[in-house]
Every structure is written in structure tokens, then in C-alpha cells.
Amino acid sequence: MSQIDDSYANTIAASLWDINIEHVNIQLDGALKLPGIRYLEVTDKTAGTTEPIAAAGFRPLTSRTIERAFSLIHNVDGKNVDVGQLVVVADLQDVLSRLKHRVFIVLTTQAVKTFLVALFILMIIHYLITRHLQTVADYAREMDIDSLERPLVLNRRNSNRKEDELDMVAKAFNEMRVNLIGDIEKRKKTEEALRQSNMIVENSPVVLFKWFAQDGWPVELVSKNVNQLGFTPEDFMSGEVKFIDVIHADDRPRIEAEVADHIRLELDNFNQNYRIVAPDGRVLWIEDSTTVVRDGDGTIISFMGIVIDVSERKSVENELVHLRNLLKNTIDSMPTVLVGVDEKGAIIQWNRSAEEETGLSWEDVQGVSLISVFPQFESKLDFILEAISRSEVREKSKVPFTVGGSILYKNLKVYPLLDSEEGGGAILLMDDVTMKSRLEEMMIQTEKMMSVGGLAAGMAHEINNPLGAILSGVQGTERRLSPSLPKNVQVASELGLNLDAVQEYMDKRGILGYLRGISDAGRRAAQIVRNMLEFSRKSESVRSLMGVKSLLEKSLSLAANDYDLKKKYDFKTIDIRRDFEQGLPKVNITETEIEQVFLNIFKNAAHAMSEKDFGDERPRLTLRTRKDGKYVRIEVEDNGPGMEENVRKRVFEPFYTTKHVGLGTGLGLSVSYFIIARNHEGEFLVESEPGKGTKFVIRLPGIVNA
């Protein structure tokens, strides 16, 4: 098409301009001879018609054609004139045939060339490598025990050349041959030793087994002396009987679980005891020592074990164990601490209650002096030894024990041993009566507190009456001295007094200040009485929405009036610092219960700080409130002596106290914990470090929309 456009289009345009149709036809015939061209036609645009004025060839009937139209432009006096159009139709069938033919020739040529090159390369490889590899393969195929003396030799020229990979392979084969000769000799010696070992095993009560690590543990190898268990080697080696089949049905789950646990823990050696059922129905106890066999990747492929019949020994052991367990269970089932001692006071018996009491096992205390384990018995040792020497039962009540800083009380009973093979001795029984004693003390203390509480409530009511009279009298006095009331002015005039002068006199002499002081003190006293009355009322667990700030302030007001000469602290001497976050949600609480919690914390903090020497520093109590997610967080932090970790962990335990005897029952914080955690679904935490103070943290659910 490009050739027609370049070579024929201008000539045809010139001939058409000259109206030389014959010359046009000659040009068309010439273009028709080009490869693939099948039809050409020329249209004269200057004639005003679309019919072709000249054509050559025929339009192909196939659809695989290309048709192009070329404008015929002729230059006349420097101007291009469009004189007509040349339409060319080409058939692609011949083009495709020529392409296929050329591709075939190229591929054939390349294939022949590639084949010749590959053949040449193969010949080189065969000469340099393949024939030597064939020699190695033939040598390996023919190698057996009888031909190990013949070395591998490769037929290669130039013995002075540098050693290459083929030489290294031949050298490795020859080294392997020499090693095999040595290994065979060792194996013969090993086999002889193994044969002798087998003779020893077959004449011993030990049966050797090797099991596959598969379901049911099929037996891979078993020693001939398995007949002493009632089986023959053929029973197992034939595969008819797997080792799991001979284990007693009641022991199978345990044995399978134990093996699985040993495998999980990657133990390569373990021992087991279980029963097997012989073909004649006998049940035998066996002791099995198993070794795990793994492949190079660490995968378990089999188990090797030695099995021995221990039925007779097991029977005797079971009887002894039964008797021993019966005795031990009887002693251990006793809730009382039982300790046996000899005539010198060394421990010869120890039950579970004693172990739980002291945290020491029988192995820890066997043969140890009783005083070493129970130092509290040092003063009672003569009492115990006297009971042993006289063979008399003795008893002491409420013997004090100090355990972890706490005092426990126990009743001690001494029962001398009669006709003991070990000589004299005794059994000591110790019953813990601490709770009983404390409950008795609690009942007494509760009765006292109820009486004191009732008395305080009655006194508060009685105090309210004179307080009311005092406040009413002060207010009346102030009103009757005021010149602003006409009645006061009238009466003063009748008596010849100037109320303004009286007021000035009372002001200069401080009488008005005294009256205001009396009024303020009376109101404070009335507020204190109201707080005492509210706190002393029995809680009916009626909840209400309250802000923690007001509750803290009210609890502080109660605590500020707590002064105890016996406890040696005054709350008013403490520096109170407030760090309250604004806009906190309210909490749904029982007011008196939470007051009790805060008051307990404040009083404990004051008591702790009273025992610290602050020097130039003042005792300080910091109250802090924050929003903590869905909770309201209240922190009460002091700068007192702090607590050791073992004390901090136990502050919420009932009856645990660090105060001296008579100063506390150890119930304040435990009751507070119960109120916060159980009654109010909150959290109660304590953080402390010795020398740096203590911080109590309370988290109560907040009511956002309150």
C-alpha cells in the first residue's frame, strides 16, 4: 500500500488530469502485479460522478482483505488540485502463506542448528563427565561385602592435573569403603556381644519390648522370655496382639494419658506401673521403664522398654500402703493439729493440720526439736516432759501463739504414749480457739459499744436542749441590745439610757464579740451533735445520689472532733489538703455506710501518723477525687510511716491489726472493704511504702446523668 501511494498515486493523478485513461489503465495493471493486490479503481472527481473511470482486477470474495482509498492530488501552477480517488483492495491470504512458509524455514534452520550444538555438548559431557559417572554407578551397583577390597578407579588422563569434583567423589567412595570394612568388623563384635546379652536377658525376669509409635503400640521386637508373662513372641510379632490389648482395661486410659504427658513434656525416659491380663486370665502387676526413640528430625518412631513382673511385691506393698494410708488418713482427717514427740521433745509424728498451720512438711520437721518449730512451747516444755514422765494426760487452755505478728490462742492437750517401741513420748493436740476467743471479746466489745452508742445518742439529745437554750438566749440578747428595734429604744428612753452609747461600750469592751463567739461555738456544737446522731443511727441500706465532696467534708467534720488521750492523737493537728475534680458524677450510696468507711480511713491515718516523728514537717492528709472511666475515684493519702508489704497484704483481713492490745479489733478496714466491694460494687485498694506514707483508693460506680 505504501509503494502504491509513493510510486503510482502521483502518476495516476497526472494522467487523470490529462484525461489519459489509457495511461491510467497501464498504471493500474502495473500496480495489480504487486504481491497481494487484487483490485484497483480510479474515480474522477472533476467529472461530477462517483462511478469509476478505470479499474483493474477483481474484488476478492473473502473477508480477509485490506482496502485503502488514496486521494489523487495534482499540482497545477503551484496549487494542489484534488482530481480523483484511487481505491486499492489487497488479499491477505498470500501474505499469511508467505509468512507461514518463512516461519517454517526459520524454525527448521534453528532446530537443526540447536540439535547439532546440543549433540556436540552432549559428546563433550559424555567424554568429560558421564562416562565417569557410569563407572561410579557400576561400581556402586556391584559393591557388596565380598568386594569391598576392590577400590574405585576412574579412567582419566593427565595424572598431574588438579583434583576436581569427580576425583573427590571417587575418593569419598574409597573412604566409605574403608569405613565400611571397619564398621563391619565392629558390627560383628557388637552382634556377638548382643547375642551374649540376649542370653542373659532371656534367662532373667526382665522382658524387653520395642513398640512402634502407632495406635495400639504394635510390637516391633520382644525378647523370648516373654513366656514368663504367659505370652509367646509370635503372639506379638505376628501383629495379632498389640501391646495396648494386654493392658488391663481399667489402666489403659491412665497409661495412654501418662505417655501423652511424657511426650508433651519431651521426656525421653519414664517409668510406669500397671496391670496386664495374661491369656489364661491372670492379672499381673508389671513395672515398665520406657525409652523414647526419635529419628533425625526429632520425630518419635518407637518406644523401647523393659518390663518386669512385680505382682508379688505389689501385693505386699498394697497391703502396707492400705494400712499406712488408713492410719495417716485417720490422723490427717483430724482438724486438730497433731504433733508426736519423743521423751526428748523431738518430733516423731506430724499430721496435715500441723503442716497447714506451719507451712512445713513432714520431711522438714522429722527429728527436729519441738521448740525449733513452735518457739511458743519453750515455756511449756517442762509441762510436756512432766506429762510424758508421769504418763499423765495434761491440758492447758488459751496458750498464746505469735504468727506473722498476730496473736493466736490454742488449747494444748498432752497424751503420753503407752508401750511405745521408741520409748517414752507423747501426742500433742492443739485446737485453735483464736476465733472463739475473739468472738467472745467481740461480743463483749459489741455490747460495750452498743451501750456507749446508746449513751452517746442519749447524751446528744440531752445536750441539744441546753444548746438550744444557749443559742436562743444569745440571739435574744443580741436582739434586745440592738438600737434598730423600736421597742428597745422605747424602753431605754424610759430608763434614761442611750442605746447607741451602750452599743459602743459593748463593742469597745468586746462583749459583742463574746456574744458572737458564743453563738458560733453553739452552732458548731449543734452541728457536731447532729453529725453524731446521724452516724449513730442504724443503717437501713437506703441509697441516695450524693456527691463525694460533701460526704468527705462531712466525714472530716466528724473526724476533726476525734481526740483520744489514750491513742495519743488529735485530728485537728493534721494538715488537710483537698484536691477535688470539678463536675464529678454523683454516686448511688448508703450515706452512713460510706461515712463509716471514710471515718475508719481518717482515724487509721491519724493513728499511724501519731507514731511517726515528723521533725519540722507536719502530718498531712491529702484528699483527692477524680473521674476514672465509669467510676469516681477517691484517694486518701497520708505521709505517715507507711507499711511493710506483708502488712499491706493483710490490712483487709478480719481481726488483723497492727495496733497495740486494746487499741483496735482489726475489723475497721475489713468492714470497710465489705461495704465498698459487696454493698456498693466498688473497689477498695491500698498502696504503701515504708517511710513514704499510705494511700487508700476507693472506686465507686458513678451515675453520669445524676
Side-chain angles (χ1 to χ4, degrees), residues 48 106 203 241 285 323 358 476 530 541 557 594 637 639 681:
V106 171
N203 294 316
V241 179
W285 273 98
L323 294 175
T358 62
R530 281 196 296 273
S541 297
S557 177
I594 302 301
E637 183 176 3
N639 62 341
E681 297 84 32

Side-chain angles (χ1 to χ4, degrees), residues 8 24-34 40 56:
Y8 291 90
V24 170
N25 287 326
I26 293 173
Q27 294 293 326
L28 293 180
D29 291 338
L32 190 62
K33 295 178 181 180
L34 294 174
L40 300 99

Side-chain angles (χ1 to χ4, degrees), residues 622-625 633-637 695-698:
T622 302
L623 309 182
R624 191 178 296 109
T625 61
R633 181 184 180 98
I634 305 107
E635 297 181 1
V636 181
E637 183 176 3
K695 178 167 67 177
F696 286 92
V697 179
I698 297 174

Side-chain angles (χ1 to χ4, degrees), residues 161-424:
R161 59 183 170 71
K162 185 178 180 180
E163 186 181 73
D164 58 12
E165 287 79 1
L166 290 173
D167 294 323
M168 294 173 65
V169 170
K171 183 178 180 181
F173 262 89
N174 288 322
E175 290 177 353
M176 180 183 68
R177 177 181 60 82
V178 174
N179 292 335
L180 282 175
I181 293 173
D183 291 342
I184 290 172
E185 291 296 328
K186 292 179 182 178
R187 182 173 180 180
K188 288 180 179 179
K189 294 179 181 179
T190 303
E191 288 176 349
E192 177 61 23
L194 182 60
R195 186 184 65 80
Q196 296 179 4
S197 299
N198 287 338
M199 291 179 61
I200 297 173
V201 170
E202 291 168 4
N203 294 316
S204 72
V206 176
V207 181
L208 299 182
F209 273 96
K210 187 175 182 181
W211 308 277
F212 286 111
Q214 300 172 5
D215 291 339
W217 302 327
V219 176
E220 180 183 1
L221 178 68
V222 63
S223 59
K224 293 180 180 180
N225 63 341
V226 72
N227 53 13
Q228 60 185 287
L229 301 179
F231 299 91
T232 64
E234 290 73 20
D235 293 337
F236 294 104
M237 299 303 295
S238 63
E240 296 179 0
V241 179
K242 296 182 179 180
F243 194 80
I244 196 69
D245 299 331
V246 305
I247 299 178
H248 196 285
D250 294 342
D251 292 347
R252 287 177 194 170
R254 174 177 62 84
I255 296 303
E256 290 178 325
E258 287 179 359
V259 172
D261 288 340
H262 294 322
I263 292 174
R264 179 175 54 82
L265 296 173
E266 298 183 354
L267 298 178
D268 289 336
N269 297 280
F270 51 88
N271 297 321
Q272 292 176 291
N273 287 277
Y274 50 88
R275 294 168 292 176
I276 65 171
V277 181
D280 58 4
R282 289 181 301 137
V283 176
L284 305 176
W285 273 98
I286 66 169
E287 189 175 275
D288 175 4
S289 179
T290 302
T291 299
V292 178
V293 180
R294 304 176 187 270
D295 61 12
D297 296 331
T299 303
I300 298 175
I301 56 176
S302 61
F303 303 94
M304 291 193 303
I306 57 173
V307 171
I308 185 171
D309 183 0
V310 293
S311 301
E312 184 176 351
R313 186 184 74 190
K314 195 70 175 179
S315 177
V316 176
E317 288 179 354
N318 287 342
E319 184 65 24
L320 291 175
V321 168
H322 174 72
L323 294 175
R324 184 168 59 250
N325 287 342
L326 178 61
L327 178 60
K328 186 177 186 304
N329 289 337
T330 301
I331 295 174
D332 285 344
S333 298
M334 298 173 62
T336 301
V337 174
L338 183 149
V339 181
V341 296
D342 60 16
E343 70 279 3
K344 296 180 180 179
I347 296 175
I348 59 174
Q349 185 65 45
W350 192 257
N351 75 341
R352 182 178 300 170
S353 296
E355 183 174 323
E356 293 174 353
E357 175 81 16
T358 62
L360 300 174
S361 66
W362 165 241
E363 291 76 14
D364 297 330
V365 301
Q366 184 178 9
V368 177
S369 170
L370 177 68
I371 306 304
S372 299
V373 180
F374 295 102
Q376 298 86 349
F377 281 151
E378 185 172 2
S379 61
K380 305 295 185 293
L381 184 59
D382 293 338
F383 169 79
I384 296 171
L385 295 179
E386 184 180 357
I388 295 174
S389 63
R390 295 188 178 185
S391 298
E392 295 179 356
V393 177
R394 298 289 183 91
E395 181 175 357
K396 273 194 176 294
S397 300
K398 293 186 68 174
V399 178
F401 279 66
T402 302
V403 179
S406 300
I407 297 178
L408 306 179
Y409 297 96
K410 296 184 181 294
N411 288 343
L412 172 64
K413 295 180 182 179
V414 183
Y415 294 92
L417 294 175
L418 303 177
D419 300 329
S420 173
E421 295 180 359
E422 300 178 357

Side-chain angles (χ1 to χ4, degrees), residues 128-183:
L128 296 178
I129 300 174
T130 308
R131 67 191 184 98
H132 301 302
L133 293 178
Q134 185 64 42
T135 301
V136 173
D138 293 341
Y139 179 83
R141 228 180 350 259
E142 296 170 0
M143 179 183 291
D144 56 25
I145 295 178
D146 298 329
S147 63
L148 289 178
E149 298 297 334
R150 180 173 64 88
L152 172 61
V153 179
L154 300 179
N155 183 18
R156 306 185 73 188
R157 297 180 181 180
N158 191 5
S159 59
N160 295 326
R161 59 183 170 71
K162 185 178 180 180
E163 186 181 73
D164 58 12
E165 287 79 1
L166 290 173
D167 294 323
M168 294 173 65
V169 170
K171 183 178 180 181
F173 262 89
N174 288 322
E175 290 177 353
M176 180 183 68
R177 177 181 60 82
V178 174
N179 292 335
L180 282 175
I181 293 173
D183 291 342

